[in-house]
Amino acid sequence: MPLILLLLLPGPVSSRWDLSISIIQHKQPRSLGLPAALLRQRYDQRIGVVCMMKGLTNVEQHLLLPHCVYRAHRVWWVHLGSSLSVFLGGLLVLLLLKSCRLGLNSVGTALPGWRCKRLQKGVSANVSLSSALQEWAVKVISAQHLSGQILMVIFFCFNTGSFLLYLLETAKPVEYCMKEHDVALLTELAFHIVHLLHFGLRFLAAQDVLQVWVEMKSLVDFFTIPHSFITIFSRRAWLGLRFLRALNVLELPLILQILGLLKSNTSLKLSRLIAILVATLLTSAGFIHLLENSGDPWLEVRNVVPLSYFECIYFLIVTMTSVGYGDVHAYTVLGRLYVTLYIALGLGIFATYVPEVVEIIINRERFSGRYKDVDKLHVVVCGHITLASVSAFMREFFHEDRGEVNIRVLFMGNFCPDQELEAFFNRWFMNVSFYQGSVLKRKDQERVMMHKASACLILCDRYATDQHNEDVTNLMRVISIKQYCPNTRVIVQMLKHNSKAYLQNVPNWEWSRGDDVICLAELKLGFMAQSCLVPGLSTLLTNLFSMQGAVETEDESWRSLYKEGIYKEIYTEYLSSAFTGLSFAQASKLCFLKLNLTLIGIEYQSGKEDFCVLVNPPSHIRIKKKTLGFLIASDAADAHRASFYCSVCHRDIADISRMKPCKCENVTIASSSLLSLSARQPSLGVLTSWKEAESDGYVSELESEDVMLDSTGMFHWCNPIPLDDVSLTRESAFVLPLNQHVVVCLFGDGDSSLLGLGDFMMPLRASSLTTPELKTVVFLGDPNYFRREWHHIQYFPKIYFLPGSPLCTADLRALRVESCAMCVVLSTFSNPKHVESSMQDKEAILSCVNLFHTRFSREATRAQGLSGRRSSYGYPGPRLPEASEPPPSKGTTVPLLVELVNTSNVQFVSNVEELKSSASMTLTQAFAEGSVFCMDLLDSLMAATFFNANVPNLINTLVTGGDTPALEAQLAEDNHLREGTMSLRLSTLRQRSKLAQLPLDDEPLHSLCCITYEDLFVQALDSLEILCFGLYRLLDPPNPSMKRFVITTPPGDLPLEPTDRVFCSVPFHKSHLLVRGRAQIPEPTQQTDEPQGS
């Protein structure tokens, strides 16, 4: 094809041209003896005349040289035409072949049988050969093989060499004649042969040859390779589009990644951005250089401007930066047209990529360093790092009540922080550093000195759509940390309870080292479940395990009493030798009366390596030396007094602020916040040695109650029952004698993420509860969702399900929500980013509004026979008395506990006026009543666990109902509870104190005749072995709905009111006091239905 194009050039030239050539070729007569300078001047004049005659510029004089073929003619169109003819001709051939192949396939069905067989044999042979060639080509050039990686580097080097040769050729004219083939031309020809070989390999390995034919690499080959062959035959060189080899820069990031030089996503992204900018600049400079040095082809006298390639680069950079000096600009029409298009398209590219490149480079310098301060303690925080999670963590970690915390926090995330998060880090620059990286890489762990860190805290995304994937991601972080730094303490957040079981199989995971897990869903549902048994307990426990800042108190208002209580927190201290030998009741009274502290539990050692956390243990348990106590105090300094109290030196000190350590006290003064850990994970609330807890009277009482427990002895158990047997209709629910039951409203469908209702039912079916204390639980929601949850709770007794909607008033009436002990609203919302924050709790808020405006009939509820499932213990369900108190007339009096996803939505369930002065959810009336709960309130547990490794054990003892190592092992085995064989060991495992709420005007507290809270605290311990730690008091009048608020550990001189209810811990052997009190004096507005025994 190139040879045919060459034959189309004009052959003979005019006599004017011959005359011009003869003038040019006329040798200088020696006889004239003219000076050389004069002869050179006359020669240049003659050349100028000829160039003017042929429309050539002075820079194109080389086209008139005698060795130049096709003198005075430009042949650039031959070079360009050869490239276009190859590309378009090949494309046409490929399209024809594809059309023929499709035609043969359609016609082949109509051929005779023998013809088809013969054709199939030939086709199969061709197919096998082409497949073999294709497979070989794929192996050769594939980057997955070593050969492909080597060839990729080689081809990149040849492309780079071709572009460097182009840069050298830019010093010559765009089109020029050559007398003989020089070294540069031959070198370029060799490079192009290699490029042609690369194209052939890609063509053979292609699944779709049309796609390979039109891809960028192929187009570069089409417009650069044919030029070399044209130059060989015509001896006429043209720079042409050889600058397109600059596009090969785009392959550099991939090659660096394959060679292992780019490992991080940030480095790869930075290299790609730089490659795009460089390729755009170099290619555009080549176009400008070609157009300006060629001139506009339609003009008789060419407007050629001799711009160098580097001047073109300078011109484009000045143009893109909008400086525009004007010293270099485009002269030709084509050049100006291209600059116009370049500004329109290139400006967007540069304006987008340049700031991003600068930002990455700056951030790499700021966030890619190493931590080098080895003299200061530090912790590493990773996982879900956002402004909300970081601010909540820092608020608790550096709370003023902890005193001076000289620990540096190193946050690590595999991303570049946004402006808000970066501003937050800048505000905390004295205590916080951010490092970009991942704990899954050993190099990044070394950057933050993970092996010397005090702990590594892993945060989770509470609103993750896929909770299982979020837990698995955090589990991988734990495995990575423990693999490289086995001695580093790890505290990890998990969402689902069953994810905790995998931690037991992680190498180097040791509870004794302080490794711990905070299961948010388990604790959230545990808090809410305990509030069904003890209304307001979720608020009280949240106040104890989180730290609050200073707020203004109001005189003579219920808010002043509430705010005084929220300053109290849980601390742990080793009790001084003054407590050695005392019973728990005696030690607790000593702390309350002398130290203004509330001792609620101890860590008891029953063997050399057996520890357990006991809350209000029985009287036969004695305080041993260096016993760890759990204390409720205003700050760490107040709690520290328990570690150095001396019964001799401090007995007569009235002002406890003057109490200082004395010299006669022979005890080690050390705070448990320095991480005192037992040799194994403690069992929770259970004596590990049942013989030590054996009591004749108590065992006989246990044998009198016929119960079924699971194999761990921690929960009431029954044989699994099909869901259809416990499903109700409105009619069957209406005749069911429901009273003082728990109604659970579920918002979820068949596609919603599971809440894990097993965590909700475990506290309600704890074995420490007697049979009369087990409340009937009725779930209301979508059957498609509940069916997915049922296999986790089917072995718990006294459960019912009503298919329906919590927004349907008829369903609520059928379940007699007006006479329930608690109505719980749970949400399965997963918080997509596109949903407005106020709409995250729309279903829960609508259910509250619907319930508040519902009126219930005042007719007495008739006792009906149970039609449906029988109790798992063999007796019919609870029956109502023949005559009962009328239920409330309004829904506002129904005990309600709502889960909120967003804390700001508390405004929709609380009074509007009091929200104006409340900056936090914990200061609202709804939270003070114990009517709302949010998972955000559990953010403080990560910091609390770091400073006090015993906090999770105490929380699990108080909340979950029995989260023991045996239970974790059972769930890790098959994620299912099994039936236990009743024995003395299982019976003894029930000996756990339980949380309760006793009315002050009812037995057993009514007979104590207490005036102040101090009287109540002391007499309850002495007479009943009941530990009091809070009050649930009516709000100030007017209070038509009889709402109450929580007072956490009131002062001793606080006067009691007859309507007060007391938060307390009751030993298991005192359970008969709870049943007796409810049987004798029922609540004025509520009805009792629990049976008194089996």
Side-chain angles (χ1 to χ4, degrees), residues 232-253:
I232 291 294
F233 289 105
S234 65
R235 294 189 179 182
R236 182 71 67 86
W238 182 58
L239 285 180
L241 304 178
R242 290 163 57 184
F243 56 82
L244 292 178
R245 290 293 172 187
L247 295 175
N248 186 58
V249 179
L250 299 175
E251 300 292 327
L252 182 59

Side-chain angles (χ1 to χ4, degrees), residues 463 899-903 921 932-938:
Y463 308 116
E899 176 196 0
L900 296 179
V901 176
N902 193 338
T903 55
M921 176 180 176
V932 293
F933 190 79
C934 183
M935 192 181 291
D936 293 350
L937 301 173
L938 302 176

Side-chain angles (χ1 to χ4, degrees), residues 308-596:
S308 68
Y309 183 79
F310 294 99
E311 285 179 333
C312 296
I313 294 178
Y314 164 76
F315 165 65
L316 293 178
I317 293 177
V318 171
T319 303
M320 282 297 96
T321 54
S322 68
V323 176
Y325 290 119
D327 53 345
V328 179
H329 61 277
Y331 293 89
T332 63
V333 176
L334 292 178
R336 293 176 179 177
L337 179 60
Y338 179 79
V339 171
T340 302
L341 298 176
Y342 177 77
I343 292 175
L345 300 178
L347 186 61
I349 296 176
F350 278 78
T352 302
Y353 291 164
V354 171
E356 193 170 356
V357 169
V358 174
E359 182 180 1
I360 292 176
I361 294 176
I362 294 176
N363 291 335
R364 281 173 61 87
E365 296 178 354
R366 290 183 299 172
F367 305 131
S368 61
R370 301 176 67 92
Y371 181 71
K372 300 179 181 180
D373 191 358
V374 296
D375 298 330
K376 187 176 182 179
L377 297 177
H378 72 281
V379 297
V380 180
V381 181
C382 59
H384 185 66
I385 306 297
T386 61
L387 180 61
S389 62
V390 167
S391 58
F393 175 82
M394 294 297 295
R395 183 172 56 251
E396 290 291 333
F397 196 87
F398 291 99
H399 197 276
E400 56 184 4
D401 288 350
R402 300 193 190 278
E404 183 180 358
V405 180
N406 191 20
I407 300 176
R408 190 164 189 85
V409 180
L410 309 182
F411 288 96
M412 172 166 281
N414 199 16
F415 64 95
C416 182
D418 55 18
Q419 295 181 356
E420 292 183 348
L421 187 57
E422 185 177 352
F424 178 84
F425 291 144
N426 292 334
R427 290 196 300 270
W428 290 84
F429 72 97
M430 294 295 294
N431 306 99
V432 171
S433 298
F434 179 81
Y435 294 88
Q436 188 171 359
S438 173
V439 294
L440 298 177
K441 299 179 181 179
R442 184 171 186 175
K443 181 179 179 181
D444 291 334
Q445 292 188 25
E446 294 175 351
R447 289 170 50 207
V448 296
M449 299 180 67
M450 184 71 75
H451 62 285
K452 294 186 178 181
S454 300
C456 179
L457 288 75
I458 305 176
L459 306 179
C460 71
D461 183 7
R462 299 190 302 270
Y463 308 116
T465 305
D466 190 350
Q467 297 183 359
H468 176 73
N469 181 67
E470 178 67 17
D471 287 346
V472 170
T473 302
N474 283 343
L475 187 63
M476 287 298 300
R477 294 188 175 104
V478 174
I479 295 174
S480 177
I481 296 171
K482 286 300 182 180
Q483 181 179 2
Y484 297 132
C485 307
N487 297 323
T488 300
R489 181 187 178 197
V490 176
I491 304 174
V492 58
Q493 280 185 344
M494 292 286 187
L495 292 175
K496 304 180 68 175
H497 186 193
N498 54 4
S499 300
K500 295 170 58 177
Y502 300 110
L503 291 172
Q504 297 189 11
N505 301 324
V506 174
N508 302 315
W509 177 271
E510 292 290 342
W511 302 103
S512 60
R513 190 181 292 114
D515 298 335
D516 218 321
V517 54
I518 305 296
C519 184
L520 297 180
E522 175 192 17
L523 294 179
K524 177 196 70 174
L525 294 176
F527 272 71
M528 300 183 73
Q530 288 288 359
S531 293
C532 298
L533 302 174
V534 185
L537 185 64
S538 60
T539 295
L540 186 144
L541 293 179
T542 301
N543 291 337
L544 288 178
F545 289 105
S546 62
M547 293 188 171
Q548 302 291 336
V551 294
E552 297 180 358
T553 58
E554 304 177 12
D555 297 335
E556 298 181 358
S557 171
W558 68 267
R559 289 189 177 88
S560 62
L561 292 175
Y562 171 72
K563 291 178 181 179
E564 288 179 5
I566 65 176
Y567 296 141
K568 307 293 182 65
E569 293 96 20
I570 293 286
Y571 297 92
T572 56
E573 291 290 342
Y574 288 104
L575 302 179
S576 67
S577 59
F579 295 88
T580 304
L582 301 179
S583 65
F584 178 83
Q586 294 171 339
S588 184
K589 287 192 300 180
L590 177 60
C591 289
F592 187 82
L593 298 176
K594 293 294 185 180
L595 304 178
N596 196 20

Side-chain angles (χ1 to χ4, degrees), residues 944-981:
T945 303
F946 170 76
F947 288 103
N948 192 340
N950 300 280
V951 165
N953 296 330
L954 179 62
I955 294 178
N956 289 330
T957 302
L958 295 174
V959 174
T960 60
D963 190 3
T964 62
L967 175 62
E968 294 298 328
Q970 176 62 41
L971 295 179
E973 181 70 21
D974 57 3
N975 196 22
H976 190 81
L977 292 181
R978 300 176 181 175
E979 179 183 3
T981 302

Side-chain angles (χ1 to χ4, degrees), residues 887-930:
S889 60
K890 295 182 179 179
T892 54
T893 58
V894 174
L896 185 65
L897 179 57
V898 183
E899 176 196 0
L900 296 179
V901 176
N902 193 338
T903 55
S904 62
N905 288 331
V906 70
Q907 59 181 320
F908 299 107
V909 293
S910 188
N911 293 335
V912 178
E913 294 298 329
E914 59 98 15
L915 282 171
K916 297 179 180 179
S917 58
S918 299
S920 173
M921 176 180 176
T922 57
L923 300 178
T924 61
Q925 178 178 326
F927 183 77
E929 296 171 358

